[in-house]
Amino acid sequence: MGLFDGLFSGRRVEGSRKASAVPSAAMDESPAPAAAMDDAAAASSSQHYGIPPLSPTAASVVHRCARIAGVPVEQLVRRFEPEQAEQPSPLTPPPVYARSLVEYCSYVALRAETRRRHDHLEDRDFHSLTYDMMLAWEAPDQETEAELQKAVFSGDGTDDDDGGSIFYSSPTQMAIQVDGRRTVGPEAFAKIAPACPAVAHPITVRNLFDALTNSTGGRLHFLIYHKYLKSLDKVLSSARRISGGHKAPDLDLSDGEVVLDIFGAATTQPVLQHIGTSTWPGRLTLTNHALYFEAIGVDFSYGDAVVYDLAKDLKQCVKRESTGPWGAHLFDKAVMYKSSSISEPVFFEFPQFKGHSRRDYWFAVIKEVLHAHKFIRRYKLANFQKAEALSVATLGILRYRTVKEGFHILPAYFKTTLAFSLAEKLPKGDKILEALYGQLKQHCSRFRGSDDLAAQSSSDDLTLVDPFPLSAHTLVRMGLLTLKEEDNPEERDFAAGDVQIGGTSSVQMALERSVGYSGRVEAARATLDQVKVEDIDTNVAVLKELLFPLIEIGKRLLFLAEWEDPLKSYVFLLCFLYIAYKGFIWYIVPGFLLGSTVFMLWNKYHGDMQLIEAFEVTTPPRRRTVEQLLALQEAISQLEAHVQAGNIFLLKLRSLMLAAFPQSTNKVVVAMLSAATVFAFLPFRSILVFILLETYTRHMPMRKKSSEKLVRRLREWWLRIPAAPVQLLRPHDTRRWRSRLRSR
């Protein structure tokens, strides 16, 4: 018990000078902790209850966590590391032990606080507590804290030339200089924030940190963190009011369905729905199961809601699109929804004076709901596991909405704060989903209660709950979700051995590997942006230059097949016959692949190991607008002619198959029987050689006249075949969109 006697000597013999000498010396050596404390009481607590392995900030956090958990500090620490009460391990470095202790105590306190209060996000003391936990985790021992304080006082990381968001760059920088508190790094935020599911999720916590520190040089200040939690509480309160019936649309929601967002609640700013050439204003509601559109009538009342399901596997497709009057693609502000349950795609236009951020937000959240249900179907989740997956998506969408409304930022692609969308976009993101599924199974097995796990807990030990509470229970406590009794298992307390402290979870490991691959993908995407050109003539010129070797080979083969130089044509024919006779023709493709492999390996190991030289292309002269329109009209006319020729060919084949022209049908039958006999009894190699020889020697001097005569007879025979008749019918009247809605 030597370690615990030293840890709590200052607390047990508070009036003894000898007992308080060690913590007092520790306080004098480190900088004043007031900058890292939330208030004067926390600083006073760290002075009176110092723990030598911990920094003053960390000691204060541990004592505050013990008060929240309602247990003595000695019992909390003994529960964290019971074996070290007898004999501390000399192999554990003090910073590692201190950080693990802070992490464990923080999880216990946050778990107890979130279970006790559903309105913890609106409490500034909770904001300060979690922020001090991050500071304590980042500087758990006195030496680390002294180094960080020295870096702060020397001015490291205070200059920011990043520009960032205009919304809060200048005011925040001024507030940081006045406030003077230490800032938090990404590792500390990623460790502490996910302990509250409403604040962050382990998959997207790093992207959330990047979004919040967009203009502060990669360090999170308390003012920004406080603003984020206030904005998040406002969004959650709004969602809770809607779920409670206030301002809620009159929708027939199923069990477990949560309203995520509504657009068009004010009739002066509705969403526009386009189906074909029809346009209807209305209100759009997104839940974690479907989209609901309610059209506005002439009396400014909402009609019956049209449901667009997002949960079932209906081959849904959601894309960004442009819309306009009568189907014209003029305004890039719409989201297209298409599925197998509707006959034609539906476009939702989100009017905006400048930009299309509103459309991008709705596109992202709709895709997140689709990806969540895809995850559920892939792993066949049901009951509580399904509710947990949807709760992860629900909280992610609410956080995404918070970042948009509070900071005017829309993280996209690899920086998105939506968990399932990020896993779908990252390379090897399926590994992240597999790890998440394994985590769901592990949580559910814990909640069901296991005799083996229960036997590990003794009666005198402090039983602690899961430090990462499930998202579904968080939504239930906040009043956003109601679970069935059979889908709501009781939370079981379990021992400290179940808690993973100081390690890396399977989800985090899979995420780190995927993020490592994403760097290569981003570098490749950067090269794509450099080579994209918009002009059609320039794209054609680039394509011709890239295909120049193949074009030249085709020209040479065509030159030989035309027999313009008989000597070269004969030499090529003899070489081809020799290759076919020896059976080397089957080695052409493997030989080509082998040569390509040798060429790439040579460039890899014996090249200059530098970037590829730029591909030079001579751009054609730019055409005027009138010339481009004329060229487009000519191209459309040529395409129409080719389509007509294809239709005529197919209609003539139809007449032959239906024996509309008996004489020609007899000839076709004989030819098809002969071809079937040849393919049945001759080897495929002989047939291939015969076809190639016939094609190559068609213009041979000895065969030229007979070949031309044969081609002419075939053309004349084809012209005598009539085409099958076609009758064009008018489509049904689809002008009345509302009549179709009533028939659904």
Side-chain angles (χ1 to χ4, degrees):
M1 299 297 292
L3 176 62
F4 285 95
D5 291 336
L7 287 177
F8 306 105
S9 59
R11 186 167 185 236
R12 293 175 181 173
V13 245
E14 195 173 8
S16 174
R17 295 181 180 178
K18 183 178 179 180
S20 61
V22 175
S24 299
M27 299 295 176
D28 295 337
E29 292 177 3
S30 62
M37 296 295 103
D38 177 65
D39 49 25
S44 176
S45 173
S46 66
Q47 293 176 357
H48 289 291
Y49 306 108
I51 303 177
L54 304 181
S55 65
T57 305
S60 173
V61 168
V62 170
H63 281 276
R64 293 157 71 184
C65 292
R67 287 198 302 269
I68 293 174
V71 296
V73 180
E74 297 93 329
Q75 189 177 359
L76 184 61
V77 178
R78 187 178 293 110
R79 178 62 181 172
F80 162 66
E81 198 72 35
E83 296 181 358
Q84 291 195 5
E86 298 293 338
Q87 183 178 0
S89 175
L91 300 178
T92 304
V96 176
Y97 171 82
R99 179 168 286 130
S100 299
L101 177 60
V102 170
E103 186 176 337
Y104 176 76
C105 296
S106 300
Y107 290 164
V108 172
L110 292 177
R111 186 69 173 112
E113 186 71 8
T114 54
R115 292 187 69 182
R116 186 184 306 119
R117 299 177 54 192
H118 71 275
D119 58 345
H120 54 274
L121 290 178
E122 66 183 18
D123 188 3
R124 184 183 176 90
D125 293 337
F126 179 82
H127 303 175
S128 299
L129 173 64
T130 54
Y131 191 80
D132 289 343
M133 289 175 178
M134 300 175 194
L135 293 176
W137 189 93
E138 200 167 35
D141 60 326
Q142 298 177 9
E143 182 179 354
T144 306
E145 187 175 41
E147 293 177 357
L148 289 177
Q149 290 284 9
K150 183 179 179 180
V152 170
F153 291 147
S154 62
D156 294 345
T158 58
D159 296 333
D160 180 29
D161 299 331
D162 193 20
S165 175
I166 302 177
F167 181 71
Y168 61 89
S169 59
S170 298
T172 302
Q173 292 302 324
M174 295 177 61
I176 289 174
Q177 295 176 5
V178 173
D179 187 78
R181 293 178 62 135
R182 285 215 324 259
T183 55
V184 171
E187 291 80 10
F189 185 80
K191 276 293 182 180
I192 302 301
C196 301
V199 177
H201 190 270
I203 294 179
T204 58
V205 62
R206 290 299 183 97
N207 289 349
L208 177 61
F209 181 86
D210 293 339
L212 297 178
T213 59
N214 184 39
S215 65
T216 56
R219 302 289 297 181
L220 179 64
H221 195 271
F222 176 74
L223 295 179
I224 298 177
Y225 179 67
H226 176 60
K227 178 180 178 61
Y228 165 67
L229 293 185
K230 284 179 57 180
S231 302
L232 180 60
D233 179 67
K234 186 183 300 183
V235 170
L236 290 171
S237 300
S238 174
R240 190 159 48 243
R241 287 194 302 269
I242 294 176
S243 299
H246 303 284
K247 298 192 308 181
D250 188 13
L251 303 175
D252 186 14
L253 302 180
S254 60
D255 294 336
E257 194 167 2
V258 180
V259 177
L260 302 177
D261 207 347
I262 300 175
F263 183 77
T267 56
T268 57
Q269 194 179 21
V271 65
L272 302 179
Q273 178 178 252
H274 302 271
I275 300 180
T277 58
S278 302
T279 302
W280 292 92
R283 176 174 60 186
L284 186 65
T285 303
L286 173 66
T287 69
N288 55 357
H289 285 78
L291 276 170
Y292 297 87
F293 178 78
E294 301 164 274
I296 300 177
V298 293
D299 56 348
F300 295 100
S301 62
Y302 294 102
D304 296 335
V306 182
V307 184
Y308 300 99
D309 199 342
L310 301 177
K312 298 179 181 179
D313 187 10
L314 301 176
K315 299 181 180 179
Q316 295 95 337
C317 178
V318 178
K319 296 192 302 181
R320 299 182 182 93
E321 285 290 349
S322 300
T323 57
W326 300 286
H329 297 273
L330 299 178
F331 309 110
D332 187 19
K333 303 177 187 296
V335 173
M336 186 273 290
Y337 172 86
K338 182 174 63 175
S339 70
S340 59
S341 62
I342 56 178
S343 58
E344 51 184 327
V346 181
F347 298 86
F348 298 104
E349 181 183 352
F350 301 89
Q352 191 173 359
F353 180 72
K354 184 179 181 181
H356 43 73
S357 60
R358 188 175 295 157
R359 185 276 309 272
D360 294 340
Y361 162 77
W362 276 86
F363 171 76
V365 296
I366 293 173
K367 290 286 287 185
E368 176 70 3
V369 176
L370 285 175
H371 290 321
H373 285 284
K374 181 180 178 182
F375 171 75
I376 292 171
R377 292 193 300 268
R378 178 185 302 174
Y379 294 100
K380 299 179 181 179
L381 304 183
N383 301 330
F384 184 75
Q385 290 182 345
K386 178 180 179 180
E388 173 62 19
L390 291 178
S391 299
V392 170
T394 299
L395 289 175
I397 291 173
L398 295 177
R399 286 191 296 268
Y400 192 76
R401 177 180 167 187
T402 300
V403 174
K404 169 184 174 292
E405 296 179 357
F407 300 92
H408 297 283
I409 298 174
L410 275 180
Y413 210 65
F414 292 155
K415 292 298 182 180
T416 183
T417 58
L418 301 172
F420 293 104
S421 297
L422 180 63
E424 290 291 338
K425 293 173 183 176
L426 282 174
K428 296 190 176 182
D430 57 323
K431 300 295 182 181
I432 301 176
L433 297 179
E434 290 180 5
L436 182 61
Y437 172 62
Q439 193 178 69
L440 285 178
K441 292 196 301 183
Q442 183 181 12
H443 279 304
C444 290
S445 64
R446 285 175 174 177
F447 284 130
R448 292 190 187 98
S450 174
D451 296 337
D452 297 335
L453 291 174
Q456 295 176 3
S457 303
S458 59
S459 59
D460 57 343
D461 284 339
L462 171 66
T463 54
L464 304 177
V465 292
D466 190 352
F468 286 97
L470 296 182
S471 301
H473 289 291
T474 302
L475 291 180
V476 170
R477 296 189 189 101
M478 291 184 174
L480 292 173
L481 181 65
T482 302
L483 296 177
K484 297 180 180 179
E485 185 176 355
E486 61 271 16
D487 294 342
N488 189 11
E490 296 182 358
E491 295 180 81
R492 182 190 62 80
D493 295 343
F494 59 93
D498 298 326
V499 183
Q500 185 175 12
I501 301 297
T504 304
S505 65
S506 57
V507 174
Q508 292 172 339
M509 289 189 293
L511 179 64
E512 290 175 359
R513 286 193 293 266
S514 297
V515 171
Y517 284 107
S518 66
R520 305 179 188 177
V521 177
E522 289 180 342
R525 290 179 66 244
T527 60
L528 296 180
D529 296 335
Q530 297 175 359
V531 300
K532 285 183 179 179
V533 291
E534 297 182 355
D535 187 34
I536 182 63
D537 295 333
T538 306
N539 280 286
V540 172
V542 173
L543 182 62
K544 287 183 178 180
E545 289 295 330
L546 291 174
L547 298 180
F548 178 76
L550 298 179
I551 294 175
E552 287 297 316
I553 293 175
K555 289 181 178 180
R556 296 295 177 86
L557 292 177
L558 184 61
F559 172 78
L560 295 175
E562 293 291 340
W563 290 82
E564 296 182 4
D565 190 344
L567 179 60
K568 295 180 180 179
S569 298
Y570 273 116
V571 171
F572 180 80
L573 177 61
L574 293 176
C575 292
F576 175 76
L577 291 176
Y578 178 78
I579 292 173
Y581 176 75
K582 290 293 185 179
F584 296 153
I585 191 172
W586 303 113
Y587 296 99
I588 294 178
V589 175
F592 173 76
L593 297 177
L594 180 61
S596 301
T597 303
V598 172
F599 178 76
M600 288 188 293
L601 292 176
W602 174 267
N603 287 328
K604 178 180 179 181
Y605 294 104
H606 299 283
D608 54 5
M609 304 299 292
Q610 296 179 358
L611 295 177
I612 303 176
E613 296 181 358
F615 194 75
E616 297 180 354
V617 178
T618 303
T619 59
R622 297 186 62 85
R623 299 184 184 182
R624 293 178 297 179
T625 306
V626 177
E627 294 177 346
Q628 292 180 355
L629 292 176
L630 293 176
L632 178 62
Q633 182 181 5
E634 182 181 358
I636 294 176
S637 300
Q638 293 179 358
L639 177 62
E640 182 181 2
H642 289 307
V643 172
Q644 289 178 351
N647 291 336
I648 292 173
F649 177 79
L650 294 176
L651 290 174
K652 287 192 174 186
L653 286 182
R654 177 181 174 84
S655 65
L656 288 175
M657 296 297 295
L658 298 178
F661 196 47
Q663 296 180 354
S664 299
T665 301
N666 295 335
K667 296 179 180 179
V668 172
V669 168
V670 173
M672 294 179 66
L673 289 176
S674 303
T677 304
V678 169
F679 277 98
F681 295 101
L682 290 181
F684 182 74
R685 181 177 65 179
S686 301
I687 298 174
L688 180 62
V689 171
F690 175 78
I691 293 175
L692 293 176
L693 281 178
E694 197 283 330
T695 304
Y696 183 76
T697 60
R698 185 175 298 171
H699 296 281
M700 192 176 181
M702 293 184 297
R703 290 195 55 207
K704 188 174 183 179
K705 293 183 178 180
S706 59
S707 298
E708 292 178 351
K709 184 177 180 180
L710 177 62
V711 170
R712 180 170 180 171
R713 294 293 180 266
L714 289 175
R715 186 183 298 112
E716 293 173 352
W717 171 80
W718 180 255
L719 292 176
R720 292 196 301 268
I721 299 175
V726 176
Q727 183 179 2
L728 302 179
L729 302 177
R730 286 187 177 184
H732 296 288
D733 188 10
T734 59
R735 292 176 297 175
R736 299 299 296 172
W737 171 75
R738 189 177 293 273
S739 62
R740 296 205 311 273
L741 293 180
R742 293 196 182 101
S743 62
R744 291 183 180 180

